Amino acid sequence: MDGSGITSENHKAHLAVNDPNRISFTLPGKPNTKLRARSARRKTGICVYDPQRDDKETVRWQIRSRMVGRKPLSGPLSLSLVCVFKRPKSRSKDEIYHTSKPDFDNLEKWIGDAGNKILWHDDSQIAESSFLKVFGDVPKTILTVRRLDDTNKT
């Protein structure tokens, strides 16, 4: 256990299963958030740029490396995110949940945009999501995507 309540053994078990309807892996490092585009005044006018272009490409590369030989999932999807933040020394070991910034929606937007055309065709396919922000010893993002059954079973 890494201090987040999530055992690496349980997570690795998901990777061993070759399920075409499910993708699960861990992105190492501090969970990232989606920032707004920035603008700057230049001699030639105003330009708009993405301040996270390089960070986004690094995450996209990490995702691509885990998707070798797999196509993006199609249809309605479920996304499960567990964002693990390193516990500051000022926080008690008893505290589990990370309740300060960054906001969950910006963390989800970051993964949603980074996964476009790699994990899924477009993040608009995500019809269901679950999200958890916790403290742990090692910062990371644990990501699980699964295809939802789109048939009406009433």
Side-chain angles (χ1 to χ4, degrees), residues 15-30:
L15 295 174
V17 177
N18 190 10
D19 184 348
N21 295 312
R22 181 186 179 104
I23 300 165
S24 184
F25 55 85
T26 299
L27 296 173
K30 181 180 176 187

Side-chain angles (χ1 to χ4, degrees), residues 45-94:
I46 295 176
C47 75
V48 178
Y49 65 96
D50 182 356
Q52 294 177 301
R53 186 182 70 193
D54 294 341
D55 292 339
K56 193 180 297 180
E57 278 310 307
T58 299
V59 169
R60 289 177 60 78
W61 179 85
Q62 289 175 335
I63 293 170
R64 256 189 231 105
S65 71
R66 288 157 176 88
M67 290 293 291
V68 173
R70 293 191 73 167
K71 293 182 179 181
L73 293 175
S74 58
L77 303 175
S78 172
L79 171 65
S80 171
L81 278 181
V82 179
C83 295
V84 181
F85 292 86
K86 186 162 177 62
R87 182 187 320 278
K89 291 181 181 175
S90 62
R91 295 291 181 111
S92 163
K93 288 277 187 188
D94 295 335

Side-chain angles (χ1 to χ4, degrees), residues 104-117:
F104 82 96
D105 57 330
N106 291 326
L107 291 159
E108 280 186 321
K109 278 185 229 173
W110 174 260
I111 294 297
D113 288 349
N116 282 339
K117 296 185 174 80

Side-chain angles (χ1 to χ4, degrees), residues 79-140:
L79 171 65
S80 171
L81 278 181
V82 179
C83 295
V84 181
F85 292 86
K86 186 162 177 62
R87 182 187 320 278
K89 291 181 181 175
S90 62
R91 295 291 181 111
S92 163
K93 288 277 187 188
D94 295 335
E95 286 184 71
I96 297 170
Y97 300 106
H98 184 281
T99 57
S100 56
K101 290 192 179 275
D103 297 338
F104 82 96
D105 57 330
N106 291 326
L107 291 159
E108 280 186 321
K109 278 185 229 173
W110 174 260
I111 294 297
D113 288 349
N116 282 339
K117 296 185 174 80
I118 305 171
L119 289 169
W120 40 71
H121 298 286
D122 188 81
D123 58 339
S124 64
Q125 291 173 249
I126 300 169
E128 174 184 280
S129 69
S130 66
F131 184 84
L132 185 62
K133 270 190 336 183
V134 293
F135 287 118
D137 297 331
V138 179
K140 61 189 163 197

